[in-house]
Amino acid sequence: MNDNVLTYKQLFWLFLSMQVIMNMLLTPSGSIMIAQQDAWLSALIAILISLVTLWSSIKVCARYPSMDFHVIIETIAGKWIGRLLSIFLLVSFTVVLAVMLRQYGEFVSGTVLPKTPISVIIFCILVTAIYPTFHGLGVIGRLAEIFGPILLLGIISPIILGIVNMDVKHLLPFWYDSGILAIITGSLGPAAFLTDCVLILWIFNLSEFHPNKIKYLTWSILTSGLLYLLSVTSIIATFGVKIASTHLYPFLILERYISIFGMIENLDAIVITVWILSIFLKICLYLFVTSYGFSMYTAKINRQKMVFYIAGIAFFLSLLPRNVVDISIEFPQVVGVPFILPFWVILPLFLSLTIFIKDKINKTQ
Amino acid sequence: MHRKHLNSFKIYITLILTSIILSGCWDVMEVNDLAIVIATGIDQIEEEQIEVTFLLYVPNPSGAASGEVSGSSKNSYSISMTGDTFSDAVMKLESEVPREIFWGHSNIFIFGSELAKNELGKQLDFLVRTAEPREQSQIYISQEKAKVEVDKFVSINTAELFSKLPKSRYLKSMTLKDIEEMLVNNSQAGLIPISNTNSVKTSEDTIDSFAVKGSAIIYQGKMISSISGEKDIGSQWLLFPKTNIPININPDGKNGKVSAETIKKSIKLSPLLEDKTWSIKIKINTDLLILQNSTSLDIYNPTVMNQMKKEFSKKIKADIEEFLNHIQKDLKADVLQFYEAFHRSYPKETDDVKENWEEQFENIKVSIQVEVKIKNPGVTNLNIENK
């Protein structure tokens, strides 16, 4: 069985639910540390960056709606440059996949399973993720359609229950402590997570044709960005800048701090389970795109076999970092923000610009 | 036929494999193997030596089944460990007790006053850094040694008591998060309630129960002073918005007292910086419930009611002023976080005085405005003494 077709609704849920949790868990503290109480402005900028990326990616794909990305990029950028860029993109996806696996391992081991070796935690989710990926994108899409609404509930309900602990005065003074430079720098972390909508380059032609497709896609990225904005704001309003910026997972602490009449407490055990669904979808989608993409460049191995190879490589890579500091602080600073983020933003922009110019030239001729 | 066998074989394999995941990997925990920490007392016994006393609850279902007296008192134990640091003592306990230590229900941490005076901040770090203790845990500083206090709780049903502390409308409580927030702010000052014990008589013997008496002022990670009695009432008005406070007044020229209790109160700080004069306005709104009237006054009468309101606000203002004077002039500890309040409205000016805030804090003019509403003068206006 190999069904790779997505409906436009599945596309919406897939992108929304795969982006939202990792971003909320991992980026707020860094962003708050840089932009202080104005981190919510950073979130707005991050949304803007991701929407630009999405828009240019869609422009590229919509120009050649039935072609695979490796064909598109070779048509636009020429055979060798196109091939090189596309492989670079796939390699960046693989690296990010490995980083995500490790982040997930550190998160689970740091919060619920402290004694379990990280390799075992990663192995378990990877084996589970291989199954739907092996059977195709359609399976992942249907999973997203089921998990998506549950995830939304798992994000919004803790924020609503936590309203009593919030105090908007923590958001003041406005602008003075940060400044425009700090706000933009603070937006890079969340932007790196939100711009992984470039994945659409590889799967756009795999989803059904529908007039609402682009609208739904934009809404999914926008919703995921706005949920991030909401979570950052509530984190600052609950804890203030100093505490929020020093915790590794401030959104989790927000969760644990909820106590309604002493009855509704310790929600984290339930919510972490829900959050893992999102991380699972993210791993599946990355695994699918990398295996699908790489299989186009190998003559004999088909996509399904490729899933195992990529999973193996990602598993191996994910075990390389030494500790949580390497993966959560060093990686974003040394590789993520200076290389991967600009590459993801500039590549679709460059491609769409080339298309625009080529079409202009063709028209005048 | 062959296919059918293969299918059921697949199902069996899947079931066996999932059962491995169900066990919770390396972190499997059986309730019967746990020792649940209910309360923790931390003392300094000598230079660089920390003694930690744990109140443990050991679940023992077989005890209840065999007809013994079940209940917490039979299952509660206290045990002390010494170590170089708080965490060192905790690790030692884990290596000596045959059961798994479980922190999920740990609601209260009591620091000995000796330790609080020397290195409270250093030992608090353990609670903040590890994921196990919750941010909602209550922090107290004990009047005597924390060990003595925790040992006394073995005989009472403390798990129940401590879990309800934060909901109490009378006992002051501060969460770990509140204290963390106060101490990392620029003012570096905070206030932690002081715990103590009360003797309670039962039909068989005397036992000791938990009590809260007074507050400790923390500055730069160390306890610098403790206040109790009249002086401490102001802290309840300013820092504990959820507790109810009793107020007694002697109305002018009348023989007797009127007692009331707050049902609701709110506090608002509005800082003002004009011509280099730093001033802050504290506005308090409160609703009162009259509990007792031993004067001849007719409280139902609107003019008397207005007079009462004035008397009450005068009393409240005096209480708050006493507390404020003490922390501002004597201790110079910004426990009310005036710095943060000013920083929100005047970020530039506060940054300039950041380094010598202690000096600036002392010179802030504070004006207090109290608005009292008598929500309930009592269900009857009967005056027993005066006919």
Side-chain angles (χ1 to χ4, degrees), chain A residues 110 113-117 120 169-170 172-173 176-177 238-239 242-243 247 253 256-259 261-262 265-266 268, chain B residues 21 24-27 100 104 128 131-136 167 175 177-178 180-181 184-186 340 343-344 347-348 351:
Chain A
L113 301 174
K115 287 177 203 131
T116 310
V120 174
K169 73 175 188 217
H170 284 300
L172 291 171
Y176 177 80
D177 283 344
T238 312
F239 297 112
K242 292 223 171 74
I243 297 181
H247 270 293
I253 309 292
R256 288 169 30 134
Y257 198 64
I258 291 168
S259 166
F261 309 121
E265 270 180 352
N266 302 358
D268 46 331
Chain B
I21 300 167
C25 297
W26 277 248
D27 293 274
E100 189 100 26
V128 180
E132 290 274 22
R134 310 223 150 214
E135 281 69 21
Q136 284 157 345
K167 277 174 290 166
T175 63
K177 175 232 156 193
D178 292 335
E180 208 181 329
E181 202 178 332
V184 296
N185 274 346
N186 188 61
E340 301 299 318
H343 187 67
R344 272 172 218 126
K348 199 184 165 306
D351 267 5

Short mmCIF file of all heavy atoms in Angstrom, two decimals, chain A residues 110 113-117 120 169-170 172-173 176-177 238-239 242-243 247 253 256-259 261-262 265-266 268, chain B residues 21 24-27 100 104 128 131-136 167 175 177-178 180-181 184-186 340 343-344 347-348 351:
data_model
loop_
_atom_site.label_atom_id
_atom_site.label_comp_id
_atom_site.label_asym_id
_atom_site.label_seq_id
_atom_site.Cartn_x
_atom_site.Cartn_y
_atom_site.Cartn_z
N GLY A 110 13.80 14.38 30.50
CA GLY A 110 13.89 15.42 31.53
C GLY A 110 12.62 15.60 32.32
O GLY A 110 12.65 16.13 33.42
N LEU A 113 10.45 10.51 32.10
CA LEU A 113 11.17 9.23 32.24
C LEU A 113 12.66 9.46 32.49
O LEU A 113 13.50 9.20 31.63
CB LEU A 113 11.00 8.38 30.97
CG LEU A 113 9.58 8.00 30.57
CD1 LEU A 113 9.60 7.30 29.23
CD2 LEU A 113 8.93 7.11 31.59
N PRO A 114 13.01 9.97 33.68
CA PRO A 114 14.42 10.36 33.90
C PRO A 114 15.43 9.22 33.83
O PRO A 114 16.59 9.45 33.53
CB PRO A 114 14.40 10.99 35.30
CG PRO A 114 13.15 10.50 35.94
CD PRO A 114 12.18 10.23 34.83
N LYS A 115 15.00 8.00 34.11
CA LYS A 115 15.99 6.92 34.17
C LYS A 115 16.13 6.15 32.87
O LYS A 115 17.03 5.33 32.72
CB LYS A 115 15.64 5.96 35.30
CG LYS A 115 15.92 6.57 36.67
CD LYS A 115 15.50 5.64 37.78
CE LYS A 115 15.25 6.43 39.05
NZ LYS A 115 13.98 6.10 39.67
N THR A 116 15.19 6.36 31.97
CA THR A 116 15.24 5.62 30.71
C THR A 116 16.31 6.23 29.80
O THR A 116 16.36 7.44 29.65
CB THR A 116 13.88 5.71 30.02
OG1 THR A 116 12.89 5.36 30.97
CG2 THR A 116 13.79 4.78 28.85
N PRO A 117 17.17 5.38 29.21
CA PRO A 117 18.19 5.93 28.30
C PRO A 117 17.54 6.66 27.13
O PRO A 117 16.52 6.21 26.61
CB PRO A 117 18.92 4.69 27.80
CG PRO A 117 18.58 3.61 28.74
CD PRO A 117 17.28 3.94 29.37
N VAL A 120 16.75 4.81 23.90
CA VAL A 120 15.56 3.96 23.89
C VAL A 120 14.31 4.80 23.59
O VAL A 120 13.44 4.40 22.81
CB VAL A 120 15.40 3.23 25.25
CG1 VAL A 120 14.09 2.46 25.29
CG2 VAL A 120 16.56 2.31 25.48
N LYS A 169 0.64 43.12 33.96
CA LYS A 169 1.65 44.12 34.28
C LYS A 169 3.06 43.60 34.00
O LYS A 169 3.98 44.39 33.81
CB LYS A 169 1.52 44.57 35.73
CG LYS A 169 1.98 43.55 36.73
CD LYS A 169 1.94 44.09 38.13
CE LYS A 169 2.61 43.07 39.05
NZ LYS A 169 2.01 42.94 40.34
N HIS A 170 3.21 42.28 33.92
CA HIS A 170 4.52 41.72 33.58
C HIS A 170 4.96 42.11 32.18
O HIS A 170 6.12 41.98 31.83
CB HIS A 170 4.48 40.18 33.68
CG HIS A 170 4.51 39.67 35.08
ND1 HIS A 170 5.53 39.92 35.95
CD2 HIS A 170 3.64 38.90 35.77
CE1 HIS A 170 5.28 39.35 37.12
NE2 HIS A 170 4.14 38.72 37.03
N LEU A 172 4.93 45.05 30.93
CA LEU A 172 5.47 46.41 30.92
C LEU A 172 6.88 46.43 31.51
O LEU A 172 7.22 45.56 32.29
CB LEU A 172 4.56 47.32 31.75
CG LEU A 172 3.18 47.60 31.16
CD1 LEU A 172 2.33 48.31 32.18
CD2 LEU A 172 3.30 48.41 29.89
N PRO A 173 7.75 47.37 31.22
CA PRO A 173 7.58 48.48 30.28
C PRO A 173 7.71 48.03 28.84
O PRO A 173 8.50 47.15 28.52
CB PRO A 173 8.73 49.42 30.65
CG PRO A 173 9.77 48.52 31.19
CD PRO A 173 9.04 47.41 31.88
N TYR A 176 11.16 49.62 26.06
CA TYR A 176 12.39 50.20 26.62
C TYR A 176 13.49 49.15 26.86
O TYR A 176 14.64 49.36 26.54
CB TYR A 176 12.09 50.93 27.93
CG TYR A 176 13.34 51.47 28.57
CD1 TYR A 176 13.91 52.67 28.13
CD2 TYR A 176 13.99 50.77 29.58
CE1 TYR A 176 15.06 53.15 28.68
CE2 TYR A 176 15.16 51.25 30.14
CZ TYR A 176 15.69 52.44 29.69
OH TYR A 176 16.84 52.91 30.24
N ASP A 177 13.11 48.02 27.45
CA ASP A 177 14.13 47.02 27.81
C ASP A 177 14.70 46.28 26.61
O ASP A 177 15.72 45.63 26.72
CB ASP A 177 13.55 46.02 28.81
CG ASP A 177 13.46 46.61 30.20
OD1 ASP A 177 14.11 47.64 30.44
OD2 ASP A 177 12.76 46.04 31.05
N THR A 238 2.46 35.14 33.29
CA THR A 238 2.40 34.31 34.50
C THR A 238 3.67 34.45 35.32
O THR A 238 3.60 34.59 36.54
CB THR A 238 2.20 32.84 34.12
OG1 THR A 238 1.14 32.76 33.19
CG2 THR A 238 1.85 32.01 35.34
N PHE A 239 4.82 34.37 34.68
CA PHE A 239 6.05 34.25 35.45
C PHE A 239 6.93 35.50 35.46
O PHE A 239 7.83 35.61 36.27
CB PHE A 239 6.89 33.09 34.91
CG PHE A 239 6.23 31.78 35.06
CD1 PHE A 239 5.79 31.07 33.96
CD2 PHE A 239 6.02 31.25 36.32
CE1 PHE A 239 5.16 29.86 34.10
CE2 PHE A 239 5.40 30.04 36.47
CZ PHE A 239 4.97 29.34 35.36
N LYS A 242 12.14 37.21 34.15
CA LYS A 242 13.33 36.58 34.74
C LYS A 242 13.17 35.08 34.88
O LYS A 242 14.07 34.31 34.57
CB LYS A 242 13.63 37.22 36.08
CG LYS A 242 14.08 38.67 35.92
CD LYS A 242 15.26 38.99 36.82
CE LYS A 242 15.85 40.35 36.51
NZ LYS A 242 15.04 41.47 36.97
N ILE A 243 12.03 34.63 35.38
CA ILE A 243 11.84 33.19 35.56
C ILE A 243 11.61 32.51 34.21
O ILE A 243 12.17 31.47 33.92
CB ILE A 243 10.67 32.91 36.51
CG1 ILE A 243 10.98 33.48 37.89
CG2 ILE A 243 10.39 31.43 36.62
CD1 ILE A 243 9.92 33.26 38.90
N HIS A 247 13.97 29.03 32.40
CA HIS A 247 13.51 27.64 32.35
C HIS A 247 13.68 27.08 30.95
O HIS A 247 13.52 27.80 29.97
CB HIS A 247 12.04 27.55 32.75
CG HIS A 247 11.85 27.34 34.22
ND1 HIS A 247 12.24 26.18 34.83
CD2 HIS A 247 11.34 28.12 35.18
CE1 HIS A 247 11.96 26.27 36.12
NE2 HIS A 247 11.43 27.44 36.36
N ILE A 253 6.09 24.52 32.61
CA ILE A 253 5.99 25.04 33.97
C ILE A 253 4.65 25.74 34.15
O ILE A 253 4.00 25.64 35.20
CB ILE A 253 7.15 26.03 34.27
CG1 ILE A 253 8.47 25.42 33.90
CG2 ILE A 253 7.16 26.44 35.73
CD1 ILE A 253 8.91 24.28 34.75
N ARG A 256 2.23 23.13 34.88
CA ARG A 256 2.33 22.54 36.21
C ARG A 256 1.87 23.50 37.29
O ARG A 256 1.55 23.09 38.40
CB ARG A 256 3.80 22.15 36.49
CG ARG A 256 4.21 20.97 35.69
CD ARG A 256 5.70 20.72 35.72
NE ARG A 256 6.35 21.13 36.94
CZ ARG A 256 7.22 20.38 37.60
NH1 ARG A 256 7.49 19.19 37.18
NH2 ARG A 256 7.81 20.84 38.66
N TYR A 257 1.85 24.79 36.95
CA TYR A 257 1.48 25.76 37.97
C TYR A 257 -0.04 25.87 38.13
O TYR A 257 -0.52 26.46 39.08
CB TYR A 257 2.07 27.13 37.59
CG TYR A 257 2.12 28.07 38.76
CD1 TYR A 257 2.92 27.77 39.85
CD2 TYR A 257 1.34 29.21 38.81
CE1 TYR A 257 2.95 28.60 40.94
CE2 TYR A 257 1.38 30.05 39.90
CZ TYR A 257 2.18 29.74 40.96
OH TYR A 257 2.21 30.55 42.07
N ILE A 258 -0.77 25.27 37.21
CA ILE A 258 -2.23 25.39 37.27
C ILE A 258 -2.78 24.62 38.47
O ILE A 258 -2.41 23.49 38.72
CB ILE A 258 -2.85 24.83 35.98
CG1 ILE A 258 -2.51 25.74 34.82
CG2 ILE A 258 -4.36 24.69 36.12
CD1 ILE A 258 -2.83 25.15 33.50
N SER A 259 -3.62 25.30 39.23
CA SER A 259 -4.29 24.61 40.31
C SER A 259 -5.66 25.25 40.47
O SER A 259 -5.77 26.39 40.90
CB SER A 259 -3.48 24.75 41.60
OG SER A 259 -4.26 24.37 42.69
N PHE A 261 -8.94 25.25 42.38
CA PHE A 261 -9.58 24.80 43.63
C PHE A 261 -8.87 23.59 44.23
O PHE A 261 -9.49 22.80 44.94
CB PHE A 261 -11.06 24.45 43.41
CG PHE A 261 -11.82 25.52 42.71
CD1 PHE A 261 -12.46 25.26 41.51
CD2 PHE A 261 -11.90 26.78 43.24
CE1 PHE A 261 -13.14 26.26 40.85
CE2 PHE A 261 -12.59 27.78 42.60
CZ PHE A 261 -13.21 27.53 41.41
N GLY A 262 -7.62 23.41 43.92
CA GLY A 262 -6.92 22.24 44.45
C GLY A 262 -7.42 20.93 43.87
O GLY A 262 -7.01 19.86 44.30
N GLU A 265 -5.27 19.63 39.10
CA GLU A 265 -3.85 19.86 39.32
C GLU A 265 -3.05 18.84 38.53
O GLU A 265 -3.60 17.87 38.04
CB GLU A 265 -3.52 19.72 40.81
CG GLU A 265 -3.63 21.01 41.58
CD GLU A 265 -3.29 20.83 43.05
OE1 GLU A 265 -3.12 19.68 43.47
OE2 GLU A 265 -3.21 21.84 43.74
N ASN A 266 -1.74 19.06 38.50
CA ASN A 266 -0.83 18.11 37.85
C ASN A 266 -1.32 17.70 36.47
O ASN A 266 -1.41 16.53 36.14
CB ASN A 266 -0.67 16.84 38.71
CG ASN A 266 -0.15 17.17 40.09
OD1 ASN A 266 0.12 18.33 40.39
ND2 ASN A 266 -0.02 16.17 40.93
N ASP A 268 0.17 18.17 33.80
CA ASP A 268 1.26 17.90 32.85
C ASP A 268 1.28 16.46 32.36
O ASP A 268 1.59 16.20 31.22
CB ASP A 268 2.61 18.33 33.42
CG ASP A 268 2.81 17.87 34.85
OD1 ASP A 268 1.80 17.75 35.55
OD2 ASP A 268 3.95 17.64 35.24
N ILE B 21 6.36 -1.81 26.03
CA ILE B 21 6.20 -0.37 26.18
C ILE B 21 5.33 -0.04 27.39
O ILE B 21 5.56 0.92 28.11
CB ILE B 21 5.58 0.23 24.90
CG1 ILE B 21 6.49 -0.06 23.71
CG2 ILE B 21 5.37 1.73 25.03
CD1 ILE B 21 5.86 0.21 22.38
N GLY B 24 6.44 1.01 31.06
CA GLY B 24 7.00 2.32 31.39
C GLY B 24 8.51 2.31 31.41
O GLY B 24 9.14 3.03 32.17
N CYS B 25 9.09 1.46 30.62
CA CYS B 25 10.55 1.41 30.46
C CYS B 25 11.29 1.29 31.79
O CYS B 25 10.89 0.54 32.65
CB CYS B 25 11.03 2.64 29.70
SG CYS B 25 10.38 2.72 28.05
N TRP B 26 12.31 2.12 31.95
CA TRP B 26 13.16 2.03 33.13
C TRP B 26 12.51 2.71 34.33
O TRP B 26 12.98 2.59 35.43
CB TRP B 26 14.49 2.71 32.86
CG TRP B 26 15.49 1.87 32.15
CD1 TRP B 26 16.65 1.39 32.70
CD2 TRP B 26 15.46 1.40 30.82
NE1 TRP B 26 17.32 0.67 31.77
CE2 TRP B 26 16.63 0.65 30.62
CE3 TRP B 26 14.55 1.52 29.77
CZ2 TRP B 26 16.92 0.03 29.40
CZ3 TRP B 26 14.84 0.91 28.58
CH2 TRP B 26 16.01 0.17 28.39
N ASP B 27 11.48 3.50 34.07
CA ASP B 27 10.95 4.34 35.13
C ASP B 27 9.71 3.75 35.78
O ASP B 27 8.88 4.47 36.31
CB ASP B 27 10.64 5.72 34.57
CG ASP B 27 11.91 6.44 34.17
OD1 ASP B 27 12.50 7.06 35.03
OD2 ASP B 27 12.32 6.31 33.01
N GLU B 100 11.45 3.73 46.80
CA GLU B 100 11.64 4.82 45.84
C GLU B 100 11.05 6.11 46.42
O GLU B 100 9.92 6.13 46.88
CB GLU B 100 10.90 4.46 44.56
CG GLU B 100 11.17 5.36 43.42
CD GLU B 100 12.19 4.77 42.46
OE1 GLU B 100 12.32 3.53 42.41
OE2 GLU B 100 12.85 5.57 41.80
N GLY B 104 6.02 13.78 44.07
CA GLY B 104 4.81 14.34 43.46
C GLY B 104 3.84 14.98 44.43
O GLY B 104 3.09 15.87 44.08
N VAL B 128 14.58 24.92 42.74
CA VAL B 128 14.27 25.58 41.48
C VAL B 128 14.82 24.78 40.31
O VAL B 128 14.19 24.65 39.26
CB VAL B 128 14.86 27.00 41.48
CG1 VAL B 128 14.56 27.70 40.19
CG2 VAL B 128 14.31 27.79 42.65
N ALA B 131 13.40 19.19 38.41
CA ALA B 131 12.03 19.22 37.90
C ALA B 131 11.04 18.64 38.90
O ALA B 131 9.85 18.88 38.81
CB ALA B 131 11.95 18.45 36.59
N GLU B 132 11.53 17.89 39.89
CA GLU B 132 10.60 17.15 40.75
C GLU B 132 9.71 18.02 41.64
O GLU B 132 8.50 17.92 41.57
CB GLU B 132 11.38 16.13 41.60
CG GLU B 132 11.95 14.98 40.79
CD GLU B 132 10.96 13.84 40.62
OE1 GLU B 132 9.75 14.09 40.73
OE2 GLU B 132 11.40 12.72 40.36
N PRO B 133 10.25 18.88 42.52
CA PRO B 133 9.33 19.65 43.36
C PRO B 133 8.54 20.63 42.50
O PRO B 133 9.08 21.22 41.57
CB PRO B 133 10.26 20.41 44.32
CG PRO B 133 11.59 19.79 44.18
CD PRO B 133 11.64 19.22 42.81
N ARG B 134 7.29 20.78 42.82
CA ARG B 134 6.44 21.63 41.98
C ARG B 134 6.57 23.09 42.37
O ARG B 134 6.86 23.41 43.51
CB ARG B 134 4.99 21.20 42.15
CG ARG B 134 4.86 19.73 41.98
CD ARG B 134 3.69 19.35 41.15
NE ARG B 134 4.02 18.12 40.48
CZ ARG B 134 3.60 17.80 39.27
NH1 ARG B 134 2.85 18.62 38.61
NH2 ARG B 134 3.94 16.68 38.73
N GLU B 135 6.29 23.96 41.41
CA GLU B 135 6.37 25.39 41.67
C GLU B 135 5.30 25.84 42.65
O GLU B 135 5.34 26.93 43.18
CB GLU B 135 6.23 26.16 40.36
CG GLU B 135 7.49 26.21 39.54
CD GLU B 135 7.86 24.86 38.97
OE1 GLU B 135 6.96 24.00 38.86
OE2 GLU B 135 9.04 24.64 38.67
N GLN B 136 4.28 24.99 42.86
CA GLN B 136 3.24 25.37 43.80
C GLN B 136 3.56 25.01 45.23
O GLN B 136 2.77 25.29 46.12
CB GLN B 136 1.94 24.64 43.46
CG GLN B 136 1.23 25.20 42.30
CD GLN B 136 0.34 24.15 41.71
OE1 GLN B 136 0.48 22.98 42.00
NE2 GLN B 136 -0.59 24.56 40.88
N LYS B 167 -5.18 26.80 49.94
CA LYS B 167 -6.57 27.22 49.79
C LYS B 167 -7.08 27.92 51.05
O LYS B 167 -8.16 28.49 51.06
CB LYS B 167 -7.45 26.01 49.51
CG LYS B 167 -7.45 25.62 48.07
CD LYS B 167 -8.20 24.33 47.87
CE LYS B 167 -7.43 23.17 48.45
NZ LYS B 167 -8.23 21.97 48.59
N THR B 175 4.07 30.47 47.44
CA THR B 175 4.55 29.35 46.64
C THR B 175 6.02 29.57 46.25
O THR B 175 6.52 30.69 46.30
CB THR B 175 3.73 29.18 45.35
OG1 THR B 175 3.91 30.36 44.57
CG2 THR B 175 2.27 29.01 45.65
N LYS B 177 7.21 29.57 43.41
CA LYS B 177 7.29 30.49 42.26
C LYS B 177 7.26 31.94 42.72
O LYS B 177 8.02 32.77 42.22
CB LYS B 177 6.14 30.20 41.30
CG LYS B 177 6.06 31.16 40.16
CD LYS B 177 4.67 31.74 40.06
CE LYS B 177 4.66 33.06 39.35
NZ LYS B 177 3.39 33.74 39.50
N ASP B 178 6.39 32.25 43.71
CA ASP B 178 6.31 33.63 44.20
C ASP B 178 7.65 34.08 44.75
O ASP B 178 8.12 35.19 44.49
CB ASP B 178 5.28 33.74 45.33
CG ASP B 178 3.87 33.53 44.81
OD1 ASP B 178 3.67 33.77 43.62
OD2 ASP B 178 3.00 33.12 45.60
N GLU B 180 10.65 32.72 44.22
CA GLU B 180 11.63 32.76 43.13
C GLU B 180 11.55 34.12 42.45
O GLU B 180 12.56 34.79 42.21
CB GLU B 180 11.25 31.66 42.15
CG GLU B 180 12.36 31.07 41.34
CD GLU B 180 11.80 30.01 40.40
OE1 GLU B 180 10.79 29.36 40.74
OE2 GLU B 180 12.38 29.85 39.32
N GLU B 181 10.32 34.54 42.16
CA GLU B 181 10.10 35.79 41.43
C GLU B 181 10.61 36.98 42.24
O GLU B 181 11.29 37.86 41.72
CB GLU B 181 8.61 35.92 41.16
CG GLU B 181 8.30 36.83 40.02
CD GLU B 181 6.81 36.89 39.75
OE1 GLU B 181 6.11 35.89 40.03
OE2 GLU B 181 6.35 37.93 39.28
N VAL B 184 14.62 37.02 42.45
CA VAL B 184 15.42 37.29 41.26
C VAL B 184 15.19 38.69 40.72
O VAL B 184 15.93 39.17 39.88
CB VAL B 184 15.18 36.28 40.11
CG1 VAL B 184 15.61 34.90 40.52
CG2 VAL B 184 13.75 36.30 39.64
N ASN B 185 14.15 39.37 41.21
CA ASN B 185 13.92 40.75 40.78
C ASN B 185 15.07 41.63 41.25
O ASN B 185 15.85 41.25 42.10
CB ASN B 185 12.62 41.27 41.37
CG ASN B 185 11.44 40.90 40.51
OD1 ASN B 185 11.61 40.49 39.36
ND2 ASN B 185 10.26 41.02 41.06
N ASN B 186 15.11 42.84 40.73
CA ASN B 186 16.22 43.73 41.07
C ASN B 186 16.25 44.07 42.56
O ASN B 186 17.31 44.31 43.13
CB ASN B 186 16.12 45.00 40.25
CG ASN B 186 17.34 45.86 40.42
OD1 ASN B 186 18.44 45.43 40.12
ND2 ASN B 186 17.16 47.03 40.97
N GLU B 340 10.13 47.15 40.61
CA GLU B 340 9.45 46.66 39.41
C GLU B 340 8.31 47.58 39.03
O GLU B 340 8.07 47.85 37.86
CB GLU B 340 8.93 45.24 39.63
CG GLU B 340 10.01 44.23 39.97
CD GLU B 340 11.05 44.08 38.88
OE1 GLU B 340 10.69 44.04 37.70
OE2 GLU B 340 12.26 44.04 39.23
N HIS B 343 9.78 50.54 37.46
CA HIS B 343 10.41 50.19 36.19
C HIS B 343 9.38 50.08 35.07
O HIS B 343 9.66 50.40 33.93
CB HIS B 343 11.18 48.88 36.34
CG HIS B 343 11.99 48.54 35.14
ND1 HIS B 343 13.08 49.26 34.75
CD2 HIS B 343 11.87 47.53 34.22
CE1 HIS B 343 13.60 48.74 33.65
NE2 HIS B 343 12.87 47.69 33.31
N ARG B 344 8.16 49.64 35.43
CA ARG B 344 7.13 49.51 34.41
C ARG B 344 6.72 50.88 33.86
O ARG B 344 6.43 51.01 32.68
CB ARG B 344 5.90 48.81 35.02
CG ARG B 344 6.01 47.32 34.89
CD ARG B 344 4.91 46.63 35.66
NE ARG B 344 5.46 45.44 36.26
CZ ARG B 344 5.40 45.13 37.54
NH1 ARG B 344 4.74 45.92 38.37
NH2 ARG B 344 5.95 44.05 37.99
N PRO B 347 11.02 53.32 33.00
CA PRO B 347 12.16 52.40 32.85
C PRO B 347 13.51 53.10 32.86
O PRO B 347 14.47 52.57 33.43
CB PRO B 347 11.88 51.72 31.51
CG PRO B 347 10.87 52.56 30.83
CD PRO B 347 10.10 53.25 31.88
N LYS B 348 13.58 54.28 32.26
CA LYS B 348 14.90 54.92 32.13
C LYS B 348 15.41 55.39 33.50
O LYS B 348 16.55 55.15 33.87
CB LYS B 348 14.80 56.09 31.16
CG LYS B 348 16.15 56.50 30.64
CD LYS B 348 16.06 57.73 29.76
CE LYS B 348 17.41 58.34 29.53
NZ LYS B 348 18.13 58.62 30.76
N ASP B 351 16.56 52.60 35.75
CA ASP B 351 17.85 52.05 35.35
C ASP B 351 19.00 52.88 35.93
O ASP B 351 20.05 52.35 36.28
CB ASP B 351 17.96 51.98 33.83
CG ASP B 351 17.53 50.63 33.29
OD1 ASP B 351 17.05 49.82 34.13
OD2 ASP B 351 17.65 50.38 32.09
#
